[in-house]
Amino acid sequence: MADDIDFSARRADWSSYRDRAQAAGRELLTAVDGITEGISSRRTESEQHGRVPHASVDAMIEAGVFRAFTPLRYGGLETDPASFFEAIMKIAEADSSAAWIGGQLNVHSFEIALMDERMQDEFWGDGPDTRASSSYAPIGKAVAVDGGHRLSGTWTFSSGVDHAQWVVLGGGDRNFVVPRGDFAIDHDSWDVQGLKGTGSKSVTLDDVFVPEYRTHRLVDTYRDTNPGWLVNNRPLYWMSFTGVFNSTPTNTAVGTATGGITTFFEQSKRRFTRQGTGAPVAANPFMHLKLADATTRVRTVRERHLANWRALFELACRGEEAPPLERMRVRFEAADTVATCFDALTEIWPIAGAAASATVNPLQQSFRDLMAARNHGSAGRELAASLYIKTRLGMDPAPFTDLGTLAYYK
């Protein structure tokens, strides 16, 4: 659609771009529908090996998951965010860990698209499905030198790093992009009980030189001087990178909760009480209320989350920028969605039966995966609520200094 239009040129009417992006999103959703059964069949393998199987990653590559935010000029899809988010939700119903890395490894393409064209050429030189993991906490050491920085130290929790060709590392006022040959993965650093298949391992660098063009200076986003806009001057990349990043884990939580509730329904059809009358569990009216409540809560926050991002994309396609109050509302509701999904499954857990505690029971795995997602930094409902309400009250925000404070401004 609209292949003859130069989307890099400035214009007031971006309706053709919006229509093309949404059409690409619908095609992605159709492709994802065709891979979820296979991904689901390998869910146990993700859990056992602490890494999403290569076959599942290959399936996501084939479906176009990792090119959703890749620029058109490199063969990407540039889908609207809501379509991509919905695709991740579908994958999460099959395997939470596959969805988690499907979201995380792709969302960094958005950041790369904001960077120097030389960085983009290197990153997508081998094709549109190039993947980067990340570790944004600035816990390593970066020393400025002529032409760039030298990095040393260990960065933790780099989700999906086994399947990444690059890693994005936090450095306070900037992020560094490092190729796979320049860092070592600590395979013994990942020993958890939730989202085990994400393989969110530590990476270590030893005096690695990172040229300046491979850095994302956060002040460039703060000042609207992203060098990537010279070649990617389109609505998708005008949107808030921090907003997209913080909303990405939410999609896994929604899909995981949806899948968990579906599993609960399926298992309840076959269960009988072991005490008292031995009646079918499905006849219990108290369970009916809990299931109705859990189902409605998850469906409601799912639709709210997708509606928020449809509206933000529509705003960008009108050439408008969402004000801080709107961004902080969406930020809070993304975190609130994760919490609501976790709470919904928690409420029905006590009536799931003893068999739900078995390691091989997918319901138990869904519960653990949601527990892990609830502890992710983006899921901090309390902090997000504070940012939102302070903005509504007209209180002064924290001054821009790093990735965390950037979320308020851009």
Side-chain angles (χ1 to χ4, degrees):
M1 178 180 291
D3 290 337
D4 58 337
I5 298 176
D6 178 10
F7 289 121
S8 66
R10 283 192 175 274
R11 59 175 57 81
D13 181 11
W14 288 90
S15 57
S16 294
Y17 178 83
R18 178 200 61 210
D19 294 344
R20 184 216 58 80
Q22 292 173 342
R26 289 191 294 271
E27 292 177 2
L28 174 64
L29 286 167
T30 298
V32 165
D33 282 337
I35 66 172
T36 52
E37 184 177 351
I39 289 176
S40 179
S41 71
R42 293 182 287 269
R43 180 182 183 183
T44 300
E45 190 177 342
S46 286
E47 178 91 349
Q48 290 175 341
H49 297 290
R51 182 185 69 246
V52 174
H54 289 292
S56 292
V57 174
D58 289 343
M60 289 192 285
I61 292 173
E62 183 67 24
V65 170
F66 298 114
R67 63 180 65 181
F69 291 157
T70 301
L72 293 170
R73 67 199 300 264
Y74 295 105
L77 302 178
E78 286 192 32
T79 68
D80 62 299
S83 293
F84 174 68
F85 287 176
E86 187 174 359
I88 296 301
M89 292 176 184
K90 287 174 176 284
I91 295 171
E93 292 187 49
D95 181 356
S96 305
S97 292
W100 188 273
I101 72 166
Q104 294 295 309
L105 294 181
N106 179 74
V107 75
H108 301 118
S109 294
F110 192 113
E111 182 173 18
I112 300 298
L114 302 178
M115 295 174 59
D116 190 285
E117 184 178 7
R118 185 176 172 184
M119 174 72 254
Q120 297 182 51
D121 287 344
E122 285 186 354
F123 189 81
W124 286 298
D126 293 329
D129 302 303
T130 304
R131 300 171 297 283
S133 62
S134 70
S135 179
Y136 282 114
I139 56 179
K141 181 180 180 181
V143 177
V145 296
D146 186 31
H149 291 75
R150 302 202 76 89
L151 271 59
S152 296
T154 297
W155 282 258
T156 57
F157 297 107
S158 190
S159 297
V161 66
D162 287 307
H163 301 288
Q165 294 94 356
W166 299 75
V167 66
V168 185
L169 303 174
D173 65 343
R174 70 190 65 212
N175 297 326
F176 304 95
V177 186
V178 181
R180 178 65 186 87
D182 287 348
F183 62 87
I185 301 174
D186 182 357
H187 295 285
D188 295 326
S189 62
W190 187 238
D191 183 14
V192 297
Q193 291 301 311
L195 291 172
K196 294 178 69 173
T198 64
S200 303
K201 303 169 183 177
S202 299
V203 299
T204 299
L205 284 70
D206 183 12
D207 195 30
V208 171
F209 175 69
V210 180
E212 186 64 31
Y213 73 86
R214 288 184 185 164
T215 68
H216 175 203
R217 299 194 319 148
L218 300 182
V219 70
D220 287 336
T221 294
Y222 175 71
R223 293 176 177 170
D224 285 337
T225 55
N226 291 306
W229 284 351
L230 294 174
V231 291
N232 299 318
N233 184 30
R234 294 180 294 281
L236 175 62
Y237 304 112
W238 296 342
M239 301 179 75
S240 167
F241 162 66
T242 54
V244 173
F245 177 77
N246 284 320
S247 286
T248 295
T250 303
N251 312 308
T252 296
V254 169
T256 301
T258 302
I261 292 171
T262 298
T263 299
F264 192 103
F265 271 100
E266 293 171 349
Q267 294 183 358
S268 295
K269 294 176 183 178
R270 304 187 298 269
R271 288 174 53 214
F272 292 85
T273 57
R274 298 301 183 188
Q275 299 178 2
T277 65
V281 169
N284 183 349
F286 300 102
M287 183 188 75
H288 297 168
L289 177 58
K290 284 184 174 292
L291 275 177
D293 180 63
T295 301
T296 298
R297 290 169 72 186
V298 173
R299 182 187 61 81
T300 299
V301 294
R302 177 188 188 276
E303 294 308 312
R304 180 184 66 182
H305 184 61
L306 293 174
N308 280 342
W309 282 95
R310 291 187 189 107
L312 289 174
F313 187 63
E314 185 68 31
L315 197 67
C317 288
R318 295 202 302 265
E320 301 175 26
E321 182 176 331
L325 180 59
E326 184 70 358
R327 289 198 301 274
M328 293 303 97
R329 179 186 66 80
V330 172
R331 172 74 179 87
F332 167 71
E333 290 180 357
D336 178 65
T337 296
V338 179
T340 298
C341 288
F342 174 70
D343 292 345
L345 208 63
T346 300
E347 284 296 311
I348 63 174
W349 181 257
I351 57 173
S357 296
T359 301
V360 296
N361 192 314
L363 185 61
Q364 187 258 135
Q365 184 177 340
S366 294
F367 186 79
R368 287 187 287 104
D369 289 345
L370 278 171
M371 177 181 63
R374 180 65 176 89
N375 282 321
H376 189 262
S378 65
R381 179 165 57 175
E382 299 74 18
L383 174 61
S386 181
L387 292 171
Y388 175 36
I389 297 306
K390 282 183 177 180
T391 304
R392 288 206 63 175
L393 291 172
M395 300 175 66
D396 291 334
F400 161 68
T401 55
D402 54 20
L403 192 64
T405 55
L406 179 65
Y408 171 85
Y409 296 94
K410 294 291 177 181

